Amino acid sequence: MKNTLECPTIIEVIRIATNMYNQGWDERNGGNISIILDDDEVNEYIPTTPIRKIDIGGICVKQLANKYILVTGTGKYFKNIQYNPEINLGIIRISSDGTSADLVWGLIDGKNPTSELPTHLENHAVRIDVDPKHRVVIHCHATHSMALSFVLPEDEDEITKTLWKMQTESIVVFPEGIGYVPWMVCGGKEIGDATAEKMKQYRYVIWGMHGVFGTGQTIDEAFGLIETVEKAATIYFLVKDNIRQSITNEQLKQVAEAFNLNYKKIL
Ligand code: 2HA
Ligand code: ZN
């Protein structure tokens, strides 16, 4: 078996976590990442001997049975992942009945995976049902995207339309719109259930007054979604008190037609 630290997904997670920290979206221990590893990568780089049991918070994720998932650790700082991946990251294997997991690598200080593990795993389960190639869930505290939830109505269609109108590319990148979960206590099954319900329809969900979740087949895709929404939200705060002209519903429909988009019919 090759050195686990040379596993391409681990290298990519280190890069993206550092990038996100540098954007200011992962202060202190804010944010968490999880990625389903593909079989080739597991065979080449990942030890399979169980080290210890991991509690997955009372959920059942049959779709993830026997899958290996790379996760960030609870209380860990994104800025530190690059310096000590074996403390800050872990790899778990989901049990064959989908109700528990074993740690097989990392988290060598004895800590657990992210407190948002139930939400991550439930999101993976739902997204795999929609898209069998789905692999990545990223949570972070993207500044302007979070700030939207303080000033816009708590209405997915309103939030989606506002963001579509802040840049031409928005509707191309998230034509299905974005989901919204009003403020809840984080870190458990209840918020996991609520988020997963939204993930049946959306790849991106805002947690009111907390942060955002982006998903995708690859890290680039999930991160690209998060940064595109964040860009639109940033423009919103730059222009909202001084708007003279805006992209119209008609113009958005023209973009949708030009790019052949299956977009949410809210215009
Ligand atoms: O502490 O971001 O939502 C990590 C988090 C919890
Ligand atoms: Zn958070």
Side-chain angles (χ1 to χ4, degrees):
M1 197 189 71
K2 294 186 186 165
N3 179 352
T4 307
L5 286 172
E6 286 166 17
C7 171
T9 299
I10 292 185
I11 293 170
E12 213 184 340
V13 164
I14 292 169
R15 288 193 184 132
I16 206 71
T18 305
N19 182 335
M20 288 167 70
Y21 173 72
N22 289 334
Q23 307 269 359
W25 301 344
D26 296 282
E27 71 289 343
R28 198 172 182 273
N29 62 324
N32 21 78
I33 299 175
S34 67
I35 304 183
I36 300 169
L37 299 174
D38 65 35
D39 292 345
D40 289 349
E41 213 167 30
V42 171
N43 292 338
E44 263 188 279
Y45 296 94
I46 312 303
T48 52
T49 314
I51 299 170
R52 56 186 159 97
K53 282 266 171 240
I54 296 292
D55 177 6
I56 66 169
I59 60 168
C60 177
V61 282
K62 289 211 179 72
Q63 299 92 325
L64 307 181
N66 303 316
K67 289 199 185 299
Y68 288 78
I69 303 177
L70 174 65
V71 292
T72 50
T74 187
K76 303 300 169 65
Y77 290 28
F78 271 27
K79 74 183 176 65
N80 294 339
I81 293 178
Q82 60 182 320
Y83 304 113
N84 207 330
E86 285 167 289
I87 284 188
N88 294 295
L89 303 175
I91 295 174
I92 60 173
R93 179 181 52 219
I94 304 295
S95 62
S96 49
D97 66 358
T99 62
S100 68
D102 285 310
L103 182 75
V104 296
W105 177 86
L107 297 174
I108 56 174
D109 58 353
K111 296 274 170 57
N112 282 322
T114 166
S115 59
E116 306 298 358
L117 190 63
T119 298
H120 277 256
L121 296 181
E122 289 193 72
N123 285 348
H124 282 300
V126 165
R127 290 308 308 167
I128 277 189
D129 280 342
V130 178
D131 171 11
K133 288 190 171 163
H134 158 88
R135 284 178 58 233
V136 179
V137 173
I138 299 176
H139 167 62
C140 68
H141 303 160
T143 314
H144 299 85
S145 309
M146 264 178 73
L148 284 178
S149 64
F150 291 82
V151 298
L152 288 181
E154 295 188 294
D155 176 320
E156 286 168 352
D157 292 349
E158 281 306 311
I159 297 170
T160 295
K161 272 190 283 189
T162 300
L163 293 173
W164 278 354
K165 291 187 177 194
M166 290 302 124
Q167 63 191 348
T168 305
E169 291 279 301
S170 278
I171 193 170
V172 180
V173 176
F174 49 96
E176 79 273 36
I178 67 174
Y180 185 81
V181 173
W183 188 91
M184 292 173 76
V185 174
C186 58
K189 179 177 181 317
E190 204 182 354
I191 197 166
D193 291 347
T195 313
E197 193 53 39
K198 294 295 175 190
M199 286 283 176
K200 291 178 182 167
Q201 190 180 350
Y202 304 107
R203 292 167 297 145
Y204 178 100
V205 171
I206 294 179
W207 273 2
M209 294 119 195
H210 179 134
V212 310
F213 275 83
T215 68
Q217 297 180 356
T218 62
I219 290 179
D220 273 352
E221 211 178 278
F223 180 78
L225 203 44
I226 291 171
E227 64 179 346
T228 304
V229 174
E230 177 64 10
K231 181 63 173 278
T234 305
I235 294 169
Y236 173 75
F237 285 105
L238 284 173
V239 304
K240 73 180 178 55
D241 297 326
N242 297 299
I243 289 180
R244 287 190 182 204
Q245 51 276 327
S246 178
I247 302 173
T248 64
N249 288 355
E250 215 34 61
Q251 287 169 328
L252 284 176
K253 286 182 192 164
Q254 286 171 20
V255 177
E257 196 173 320
F259 287 82
N260 200 18
L261 302 175
N262 183 15
Y263 67 102
K264 192 174 189 193
K265 300 298 181 294
I266 50 177
L267 296 173

